[in-house]
Amino acid sequence: MKRSAVNSILTEGDAFIRSFGFVLPPFAYWSAEKMRAASGTDIHARGLGWDITDYGEGRFDEMGLFLFTTRNGRVEQLNNGKGMLYAEKIMITRDRQLSPMHRHNVKAEDIINRGGGDLVIELFAPDADGGIDRTSDITVPSDGMPVTLSAGGHLRLKPGESVTLMPGIWHAFWAEGGDCLVGEVSTVNDDRTDNVFEQPIGRFSRIEEDETPMYLLVSDYD
């Protein structure tokens, strides 16, 4: 992705988020220089901030996601069961923009439609080896009630509705009927090692620096 495209997506995304009355924390608007100077703080260590991905495929409008991590614990805290064991993100999935099929080894998550279009989630159970089970039904909790779908079934979430996905559940999602504001509440989030994709794609984008960054992305911190 070109940095100019990322900057435009950040501007449009921030306006979309604000249109629902959701305001990002102050560090979201730090200059690139101030954010670089924050190296060594929890913002960097916990991966807080902006995250724009096209999954390394260069087709953001077709396959991509806008994310902002507002809070996150540390992976090592999960090992002793104490401390900040949770994470929160706000995301935007555009109309018909795919977030491709993947699962997590550790993270359990609630995915919430915070407003806009419908959020459609395609679901598969894992097989005995952690791959996709393309024959078995799958049952997931949606706002406290079990929902059973056939393999590859589509769960449609209207604004205000949510689903809980436990580790191992394969899922892909997109919006229909308009762009969708998506919330995620989960156990500690580790985007570098805890995403297993069906296809051999990357989690982060390769950035072509054609203009100055408006804000740094999480993937810029390293």
Side-chain angles (χ1 to χ4, degrees):
M1 297 182 71
K2 292 185 176 181
R3 184 68 71 172
S4 55
V6 170
N7 287 344
S8 294
I9 293 165
L10 291 174
T11 299
E12 295 165 2
D14 186 45
F16 186 74
I17 291 170
R18 286 177 178 272
S19 74
F20 292 93
F22 192 103
V23 180
L24 295 173
F27 71 83
Y29 307 104
W30 287 1
S31 68
E33 291 73 21
K34 185 173 181 178
M35 186 58 81
R36 288 191 186 100
S39 177
T41 68
D42 275 351
I43 292 174
H44 283 224
R46 298 174 186 265
L48 308 182
W50 305 98
D51 182 1
I52 309 300
T53 184
D54 63 359
Y55 301 98
E57 297 296 297
R59 300 179 286 119
F60 180 78
D61 289 341
E62 300 171 36
M63 187 167 73
L65 190 62
F66 173 113
L67 312 93
F68 189 98
T69 301
T70 54
R71 65 202 81 248
N72 194 17
R74 292 178 179 265
V75 173
E76 57 267 25
Q77 291 174 318
L78 289 174
N79 296 327
N80 59 28
K82 295 180 180 179
M84 188 176 181
L85 307 181
Y86 56 89
E88 180 192 39
K89 294 180 181 180
I90 193 74
M91 305 184 289
I92 301 168
T93 182
R94 296 184 175 185
D95 199 350
R96 306 287 177 169
Q97 181 189 44
L98 176 67
S99 289
M101 188 63 64
H102 64 287
R103 64 171 173 82
H104 307 291
N105 291 318
V106 175
K107 184 171 72 172
E109 58 188 334
D110 276 13
I111 299 177
I112 310 134
N113 185 336
R114 295 293 192 193
D118 292 350
L119 181 62
V120 182
I121 306 176
E122 183 179 14
L123 294 166
F124 289 95
D127 62 21
D129 299 318
I132 296 177
D133 184 339
R134 300 190 182 277
T135 60
S136 299
D137 289 353
I138 180 168
T139 300
V140 292
S142 179
D143 296 315
M145 296 297 294
V147 175
T148 299
L149 302 166
S150 58
H154 292 177
L155 177 64
R156 183 177 296 269
L157 300 179
K158 299 287 187 181
E161 295 179 332
S162 69
V163 64
T164 300
L165 301 179
M166 300 305 291
I169 299 297
W170 288 92
H171 55 289
F173 58 88
W174 59 90
E176 292 185 4
D179 297 351
C180 183
L181 188 67
V182 183
E184 179 184 299
V185 177
S186 73
T187 46
V188 173
N189 178 79
D190 178 9
D191 276 325
R192 299 195 180 278
T193 66
D194 196 34
N195 293 286
V196 180
F197 290 98
E198 177 187 13
Q199 302 297 327
I201 58 175
R203 168 59 181 81
F204 296 102
S205 299
R206 296 184 294 270
I207 305 297
E208 178 184 339
E209 302 292 350
D210 64 329
E211 68 179 38
T212 302
M214 177 181 299
Y215 309 119
L216 293 187
L217 305 179
V218 169
S219 56
D220 291 322
Y221 294 168
D222 292 340

